Amino acid sequence: MTAAKTLYVDHSIVAKPQYRLLLETLLRGGEYRLVLSLWNLAEMAAATDEVQRAERLEYLQQFSPRWVLETAALKSAEVRRYLWTHRFAQAAPQEEVFFQYLSEVLARSGERNIRIGETPHSWIERFSRQQFKRTKDRAPDALSQLQSFEPDYFRELQARAFPKWVLKSVPNRDPDEKLLTQGEQQTLAEYCTQNKADFLNVCPVMAVEDALSRIRTSNPKRNPKPSDAPDLMHTIAGIAYCDVFLLDDGWAEDCARQAKEELRQHTLAEIHNPSTVASITNRPD
């Protein structure tokens, strides 16, 4: 029996009831399996209408969704795998990407105060809407500043920032479980930087985020929005490891398509909006 393909849905789909029949058509046949992330939960939890939050979650849970590992955990897994294989010449540990239970994702995300048997409902109940709003509200100013830079200067900034960005995902222990010093971790981040092309070729989440950081700031005339922060995280989760990414956001879709075109060495998700997704139903493999 062929395994179901993974279908990641952006909040722009979840938030619009008119797309429910479309989702049901895709998911009821068994060819596709719904995938959600913590960012789906966060955007549902941010709604002030409690009845709406509960109704959306109940609707999605009827499809028994799989949960994709949080982006920071995926990046850590990719960097570890690359270093184990290329720097230490040892077998790389294998990390699962999709999980049946939300608590499994939380346990691997480094989140504090994880409750045994955490469910989407209980996670939403303790979600901080104020903190999430502050995170979203910082996005426009940050993106506006980056958009204002000349392209050459932005590339220079990105090149300088690359090893620091990788360093955040470098493991704190080597393959023999020996604790690494900060200096040793920095050396490993520099190794990834010196072999940047090879590194990004085998690390899809890192490659997608790296590409999107340029693509999303390339238009100096665009006015950034608070929703740009979660849009980025949905796009990374949606195209790096899933089979299909479904959204109804023109700008986010354009960015996703540009990233996929730039990263043709990776097998990234098919990208669809409600108008194009009909093309994948009932087609021959």
Side-chain angles (χ1 to χ4, degrees):
M1 181 176 179
T2 303
K5 297 177 182 177
T6 50
L7 170 69
Y8 185 95
V9 292
D10 181 72
H11 188 66
S12 57
I13 298 295
V14 174
K16 298 172 183 175
Q18 65 264 36
Y19 295 140
R20 291 193 172 181
L21 179 59
L22 175 63
L23 274 181
E24 291 163 14
T25 300
L26 289 167
L27 297 169
R28 294 297 189 198
E31 184 179 357
Y32 295 94
R33 181 70 178 269
L34 180 64
V35 171
L36 299 175
S37 72
L38 287 176
W39 284 90
N40 289 111
L41 275 189
E43 295 217 82
M44 282 189 282
T48 56
D49 186 329
E50 292 185 15
V51 174
Q52 182 191 76
R53 291 200 306 267
E55 194 276 334
R56 285 177 177 173
L57 181 57
E58 183 178 355
Y59 175 77
L60 292 174
Q61 285 196 294
Q62 70 176 301
F63 300 110
S64 302
R66 304 291 276 183
W67 297 92
V68 64
L69 198 61
E70 193 265 334
T71 302
L74 284 172
K75 291 195 294 185
S76 295
E78 288 184 353
V79 173
R80 182 185 301 109
R81 185 169 63 242
Y82 178 79
L83 289 170
W84 263 230
T85 304
H86 293 75
R87 178 63 178 83
F88 296 108
Q90 295 201 23
Q94 295 299 312
E95 279 281 359
E96 294 292 327
V97 174
F98 304 106
F99 296 87
Q100 181 176 357
Y101 300 108
L102 175 66
S103 56
E104 295 177 286
V105 170
L106 295 173
R108 290 163 173 80
S109 70
E111 182 172 319
R112 297 178 181 179
N113 303 319
I114 298 174
R115 301 177 182 179
I116 296 175
E118 184 85 271
T119 67
H121 286 286
S122 62
W123 189 91
I124 284 177
E125 285 299 316
R126 63 188 183 87
F127 179 78
S128 172
R129 295 176 185 83
Q130 293 77 16
Q131 184 178 344
F132 184 64
K133 184 178 184 302
R134 287 195 295 271
T135 299
K136 289 179 63 176
D137 288 346
R138 287 195 293 266
D141 287 342
L143 284 172
S144 292
Q145 183 178 16
L146 293 172
Q147 287 175 187
S148 69
F149 295 145
E150 292 294 328
D152 288 345
Y153 180 61
F154 180 78
R155 282 192 290 271
E156 180 185 336
L157 284 179
Q158 193 177 36
R160 292 208 305 261
F162 191 85
K164 297 177 183 178
W165 173 62
V166 173
L167 180 61
K168 296 177 183 179
S169 302
V170 170
N172 59 7
R173 294 181 182 272
D174 70 10
D176 296 322
E177 289 297 312
K178 175 187 174 184
L179 198 64
L180 295 168
T181 66
Q182 288 185 342
E184 289 171 329
Q185 288 178 298
Q186 289 172 350
T187 298
L188 292 175
E190 289 293 342
Y191 175 82
C192 296
T193 303
Q194 291 163 7
N195 298 278
K196 182 177 178 179
D198 185 46
F199 171 72
L200 293 178
N201 277 343
V202 296
C203 298
V205 165
M206 299 293 285
V208 169
E209 186 171 323
D210 179 67
L212 287 172
S213 68
R214 292 188 303 278
I215 294 165
R216 286 158 39 88
T217 56
S218 61
N219 182 2
K221 295 182 180 180
R222 181 181 180 273
N223 292 320
K225 300 181 295 184
S227 60
D228 288 349
D231 284 347
L232 170 66
M233 306 311 293
H234 283 302
T235 303
I236 294 171
I239 70 174
Y241 282 102
C242 295
D243 295 309
V244 178
F245 178 38
L246 178 61
L247 72 168
D248 184 29
D249 181 319
W251 180 70
E253 181 182 349
D254 287 343
C255 290
R257 290 188 182 281
Q258 288 181 60
K260 182 172 181 176
E261 176 64 22
E262 182 177 318
L263 301 172
R264 282 176 288 180
Q265 73 273 28
H266 289 287
T267 304
L268 301 180
E270 291 187 44
I271 300 163
H272 287 284
N273 60 54
S275 298
T276 66
V277 75
S279 66
I280 70 173
T281 59
N282 299 320
R283 69 182 178 192
D285 291 333

